[in-house]
């Protein structure tokens, strides 16, 4: 476990050394990049500009929530609306690795534009150890190419600065608490966003369904946690599958989509075990998803697989 005060001192020193003039910071609203952005702000002041990208792949209310969250953390930032850019980059792409590459590249191209506007070539990112370990390289197998590792095009003139590279998730949480980041125990959300929770091609319509299903899972699980009915899972979400199934709405047969619900406990995301949500809770989730997304979604499943052999996300 790290000593957060010593880590912060060293990180500030390294940032000052690695950033001679100015830098932009990729700030997703997650704990990793918020911690990196706050370290950059402490090290560089106005010479660091945090940028939050609305990719169109975010959860319900996330832009507003993130703005408020940054305000509470004391992080100055700029919001860029880039949904059309990301949907164009993802058009027709079903393969998860290709999605991550396209998203990574779209982020980098956008950051190149932002860096040029801020007259810098330095991009500070909140990459942590599992991101690059799972992305392979050297003698390691690729488990999945995290968007912030595999997506940097060879011709990019951006120089990456990654102050959290050697930290694991639980260490980032310790650091985040030390830096005064509010609510640092909330669940992680992947950088590629809902694109990896829509299996198969990513369209604005399917992302909207996945967004609504995720909002229902979060609301129902959080309500059950607040009532003391279930432990708070480390991560809990919904995935829209590329599988169709028959259902009935009223007197009509429909051939609709399938959503899978997942809730896991973990400490560092490297392993995870399933949280046994009650049948009552799962039933409520299934009812709300199929009602609110009728006639598009006709079936809801529960994933009971640990990591390993599965990963936490489905892609
Ligand atoms: P997996 O699915 O690999 O997920 O078991 C481990 C943790 O990482 C998150 N995750 C990602 N985070 N970019 C991210 O920033 C990604 O490409 C990515 N893929 C997975 C996942 O939500 C879980 O917390």
């Amino acid at each position: 476990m790290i000593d957060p005060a010593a880590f912060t001192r060293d990180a500030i020193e390294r940032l000052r050394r690695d950033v001679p003039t100015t830098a932009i910071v990729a700030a997703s609203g997650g704990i990793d990049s918020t911690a990196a952005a706050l370290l950059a702000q402490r090290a560089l002041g106005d010479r660091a500009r945090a940028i939050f990208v609305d990719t169109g792949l975010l959860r319900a209310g996330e832009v507003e929530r993130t703005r408020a969250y940054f305000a509470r953390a004391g992080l100055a930032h700029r919001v860029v609306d880039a949904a059309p850019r990301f949907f164009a980059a993802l058009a027709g792409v079903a393969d998860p690795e290709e999605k991550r590459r396209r998203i990574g590249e779209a982020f980098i191209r956008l950051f190149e534009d932002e860096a040029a506007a801020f007259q810098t070539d330095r991009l500070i990112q909140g990459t942590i150890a599992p991101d690059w370990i799972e992305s392979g390289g050297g003698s390691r197998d690729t488990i999945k190419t995290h968007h912030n590792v595999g997506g940097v095009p060879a011709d990019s003139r951006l120089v990456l600065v990654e102050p959290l590279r050697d930290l694991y998730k639980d260490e980032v949480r310790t650091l985040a608490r030390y830096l005064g980041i509010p609510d640092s125990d909330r669940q992680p959300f992947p950088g590629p966003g809902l694109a990896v929770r829509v299996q198969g091609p990513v369209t604005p319509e399917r992302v909207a369904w996945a967004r609504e299903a995720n909002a229902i899972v979060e609301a129902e699980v959080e309500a059950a946690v607040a009532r003391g009915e279930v432990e708070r899972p480390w991560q809990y979400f919904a995935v829209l599958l590329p599988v169709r199934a028959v259902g009935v709405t009223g007197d009509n047969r429909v051939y609709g989509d399938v959503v899978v619900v997942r809730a896991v406990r973990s400490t560092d995301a490297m392993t995870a075990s399933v949280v046994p949500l009650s049948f009552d809770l799962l039933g409520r989730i299934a009812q709300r998803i199929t009602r609110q997304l009728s006639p598009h979604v006709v079936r809801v499943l529960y994933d009971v697989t640990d990591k390993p052999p599965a990963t936490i996300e489905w892609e």
Side-chain angles (χ1 to χ4, degrees):
M1 193 47 81
I2 55 159
D3 168 355
F7 181 89
T8 298
R9 265 196 316 275
D10 291 351
I12 286 175
E13 214 169 278
R14 271 183 280 124
L15 279 163
R16 287 185 180 145
R17 196 187 57 217
D18 294 343
V19 179
T21 55
T22 55
I24 57 167
V25 191
S28 68
I31 286 162
D32 308 348
S33 61
T34 305
L38 275 180
L39 288 174
Q41 189 170 280
R42 282 200 189 181
L44 306 166
D46 289 348
R47 293 195 285 127
R49 175 185 280 178
I51 294 170
F52 173 67
V53 182
D54 179 359
T55 56
L57 304 167
L58 300 173
R59 287 171 293 183
E62 192 138 24
V63 175
E64 301 71 29
R65 243 193 343 265
T66 305
R67 276 179 193 271
Y69 179 70
F70 284 164
R72 271 167 43 229
L75 181 69
H77 65 281
R78 161 179 154 72
V79 180
V80 179
D81 176 7
R85 203 163 163 152
F86 279 82
F87 281 112
L90 287 166
V93 178
D95 178 75
E97 287 293 273
E98 184 60 17
K99 282 182 189 174
R100 284 190 168 79
R101 267 191 295 278
R102 300 274 187 115
I103 289 170
E105 174 155 14
F107 269 115
I108 291 294
R109 297 300 177 210
L110 186 148
F111 288 134
E112 282 173 345
D113 295 348
E114 292 293 317
F118 201 46
Q119 296 179 336
T120 184
D121 61 357
R122 302 294 144 124
L123 170 64
I124 300 174
Q125 289 202 131
T127 311
I128 63 170
D131 299 347
W132 56 265
I133 291 171
E134 293 204 338
S135 296
S139 59
R140 294 179 192 275
D141 286 342
T142 299
I143 297 171
K144 61 185 70 175
T145 307
H146 286 245
H147 76 288
N148 51 352
V149 179
V152 184
D155 66 350
S156 176
R157 51 175 218 91
L158 288 176
V159 179
L160 293 185
V161 179
E162 298 177 321
L164 311 182
R165 245 190 107 70
D166 296 325
L167 300 191
Y168 285 84
K169 199 81 193 182
D170 48 339
E171 296 174 320
V172 178
R173 288 187 194 282
T174 304
L175 175 68
R177 273 190 294 273
Y178 173 78
L179 292 173
I181 296 175
D183 191 20
S184 27
D185 285 327
R186 72 213 178 107
Q187 68 161 330
F189 183 62
L194 295 172
V196 292
R197 294 193 180 162
V198 171
Q199 297 235 283
V202 178
T203 61
E205 185 181 50
R206 290 179 71 77
V207 167
W209 300 346
R211 179 177 291 121
E212 196 157 341
N214 271 275
I216 292 168
V217 171
E218 289 194 9
E220 289 295 338
V221 169
E222 281 158 18
V225 169
R227 289 192 300 268
E229 288 171 14
V230 64
E231 70 182 71
R232 175 178 291 281
W234 194 77
Q235 207 168 359
Y236 42 105
F237 56 91
V239 177
L240 184 66
L241 299 186
V243 173
R244 307 193 83 193
V246 176
V248 278
T249 54
D251 292 334
N252 297 323
R253 173 192 185 280
V254 285
Y255 195 40
D257 280 297
V258 179
V259 161
V260 63
V261 174
R262 186 137 171 80
V264 294
R265 59 172 85 88
S266 179
T267 50
D268 58 6
M270 299 299 278
T271 60
S273 59
V274 172
V275 173
L277 301 183
S278 73
F279 259 75
D280 267 2
L281 174 55
L282 289 169
R284 267 198 307 280
I285 289 172
Q287 206 170 52
R288 273 189 68 187
I289 289 177
T290 49
R291 275 199 192 138
Q292 281 177 230
L293 290 168
S294 171
H296 310 299
V297 174
V298 293
R299 238 167 253 246
V300 176
L301 316 179
Y302 191 50
D303 182 350
V304 293
T305 326
D306 293 340
K307 173 183 182 176
T311 53
I312 294 176
E313 302 289 345
W314 271 52
E315 289 197 330

